[in-house]
Each structure stands twice: as structure tokens, then as C-alpha cells.
Amino acid sequence: MLPEITPILEEPALIVRNTETSLVVADIHLGIEWDLYRSGINLPSQMKGRLDRLLGYIQANSPDKVILLGDVKHNVPKVSWQEKDEIPRFLETLAEHTHVDIIPGNHDGGIELLFNRHKDIRVHSARGAVIDGTGYFHGHTWPASEILAVSHAVTAHNHPTVRFTDSFGYSVVEPAWIRTKFNMEVLKIHFGNLDFENPAQWADPELFVMPAFNELCGGVPFNESTQEELLGPAFSSGGIKLEASEVYLLDGTRLGLLRNIRKLKHTRVRNKNQNRRCRNSKGST
């Protein structure tokens, strides 16, 4: 039985159905307000609103589990007082409604110390895991080899967006879903012991890249970025077919193939110095 993967309309969240129903969100970045405060931007905590959104998804879809696809917390390498206060309440409240699986991201070091381990919460390997027939990895590492042996995989980490700029210089940025495939020839270099002729080891999975759940995180405009500028080894090495990606807005609008979106007059390819500044402003996200 193949998984059925359906985005929740107008929301950065997936429903994945196979033998169970899973709700998937990525890049929640709890505690980002504390980091912004240190930079001179004073915002109240948004934790309750984010938790209420997730509980609304749970109420509407009755999932058997919630999969948090990395970067549940924000601050690295330290843990802020805000995260020590909010992450236990956030995770343990979710666990009162359904099982919680965490695929750790690069911001999630030590997250297993921030909640009651007797709760229904499981932290997986940072390289990802196969859960009910679908592979999940955050994207800051190469995926575990078993993820390449299933039909569908989901990743995050880059906070994908599209940005269009008019002739007056006004830009509109929208979060986006990216749907693509792995580049087998590049993966062969890294996964040297994998038999790519064996369907039990290589299933040529369809790959979904999730937008960030936290809108304060910003994003990477895929239509303006080269593979070298994207985060994570699978992207920066060319291990993902970037130009052949299909791009969708959260409302379900299909924008088309990334290679064609790049040719539009409203796509402005930035110079290298601009790209570098944008990446630096994103920090270690």
C-alpha cells in the first residue's frame, strides 16, 4: 500500500495516510522570539497560537501521530529560558492528544532533555526514519539509507518560498511546497555501498520539501537560488533534482517547474554578494 500525501489547504502541514494517519509539520522554531529580542525586536511569545493551530489540525484530522520534522526549538547551541518553559508544555500537550514523533533538526540538540520522557513522545535519529512506509529527514544531514528504499520521502530545513519582483522593485514572497526527486547519480557517490539496481534498497522516492510552520523564520526563495546556496548536503551537492522541481503555493496553485519559473521576468536572480547576505541573515536555520 502506497502512502497518500495531502497538504492541508492554506497551511504548512501535511496529512500522510497509509496504515495510520500522520500529521506532519516542520520548522516550528519555538523560542525564536527570545532570539529576536536579543536583536532588538520585541515580540510576545507566539507559542500558544502555534499550539492552538496544531491542536486545530488534530481535531480536524484525528491523526494517529504527529511528526515534527525538525527544528522544534530555535536557539543553538544554548537553550533559552523561553524554550525551557515552553517546549515541555508544547510537546506534552500534543502528547495528550496523540503520539508525537520528533525527527531532530540542526536546532534540536538536547531536546530529549526538555520533556517528560514518560510521555508519548519519541525522538528519532538525526538522519531520519521511515514511519509507516514514508521516509522523513530534516535535511541538515544526508538521509538514512532506508529512506531511499520507500516510495515517498519528506524533508524540510530550507523553508522554501518563491519571490516575485515587479518593475518598480516591489517584491511578494510566498511559502511554497517543492515536489521533486533525488538525483541518483549524485547519491551513488555518497551511498557507495547501496545497490541502486536493487528495488529493496533504491525505490527512487518522490520527495516533498515542506515550508516552515513558523512564519517568523523567513525562507529561501527557490526561484532565485542555485543548488550551492541551499542548505543541507543533499541539496548543495546536487543530490536533489532542483531544476525539475514542481512548485506549489499553500492554496494549491501549481506554479510549474522551477526551471520555467526562473525564466519569468518577475524572478530576479541576485548577485553573489546579495545571496551571501541573505544566507547570513538566516543564520544557522
Side-chain angles (χ1 to χ4, degrees), residues 8-79:
I8 299 178
L9 199 63
E10 300 284 8
E11 300 289 343
L14 284 177
I15 297 296
V16 181
R17 293 185 175 90
N18 196 357
T19 63
E20 299 178 318
T21 297
S22 300
L23 166 66
V24 189
V25 296
D27 293 295
I28 302 173
H29 286 270
L30 293 172
I32 192 173
E33 297 86 359
W34 183 81
D35 194 32
L36 292 172
Y37 174 76
R38 293 195 306 156
S39 302
I41 302 171
N42 193 1
L43 289 176
S45 170
Q46 307 294 304
M47 188 274 285
K48 184 179 185 304
R50 303 194 199 293
L51 179 59
D52 287 345
R53 282 173 67 193
L54 273 174
L55 293 178
Y57 301 160
I58 291 171
Q59 183 176 11
N61 296 280
S62 302
D64 298 289
K65 60 183 61 185
V66 171
I67 299 173
L68 306 180
L69 192 54
D71 288 358
V72 177
K73 61 185 288 290
H74 178 71
N75 292 283
V76 288
K78 64 180 66 176
V79 179

Side-chain angles (χ1 to χ4, degrees), residues 230-268:
L230 295 177
L231 302 174
F235 276 98
S236 61
S237 68
I240 288 169
K241 295 180 178 179
L242 186 62
E243 298 302 312
S245 301
E246 292 187 77
V247 182
Y248 298 82
L249 300 181
L250 297 196
D251 65 4
T253 301
R254 180 183 181 273
L255 297 183
L257 294 177
L258 187 62
R259 67 165 69 97
N260 295 329
I261 299 171
R262 291 191 193 277
K263 299 174 185 176
L264 298 176
K265 65 179 181 179
H266 296 304
T267 291
R268 300 288 180 86

Side-chain angles (χ1 to χ4, degrees), residues 100-118:
V100 177
D101 284 277
I102 299 173
I103 308 294
N106 52 306
H107 284 243
D108 290 326
I111 194 169
E112 64 277 3
L113 304 176
L114 296 177
F115 60 86
N116 185 337
R117 300 190 197 185
H118 296 291

Side-chain angles (χ1 to χ4, degrees), residues 75-127:
N75 292 283
V76 288
K78 64 180 66 176
V79 179
S80 69
W81 62 265
Q82 182 184 355
E83 290 163 324
K84 290 177 182 177
D85 173 58
E86 292 184 350
I87 288 175
R89 290 190 285 132
F90 186 90
L91 294 176
E92 291 169 19
T93 300
L94 289 179
E96 291 172 2
H97 293 80
T98 188
H99 177 76
V100 177
D101 284 277
I102 299 173
I103 308 294
N106 52 306
H107 284 243
D108 290 326
I111 194 169
E112 64 277 3
L113 304 176
L114 296 177
F115 60 86
N116 185 337
R117 300 190 197 185
H118 296 291
K119 298 291 185 179
D120 195 8
I121 304 169
R122 180 181 179 186
V123 179
H124 293 266
S125 164
R127 293 190 63 199

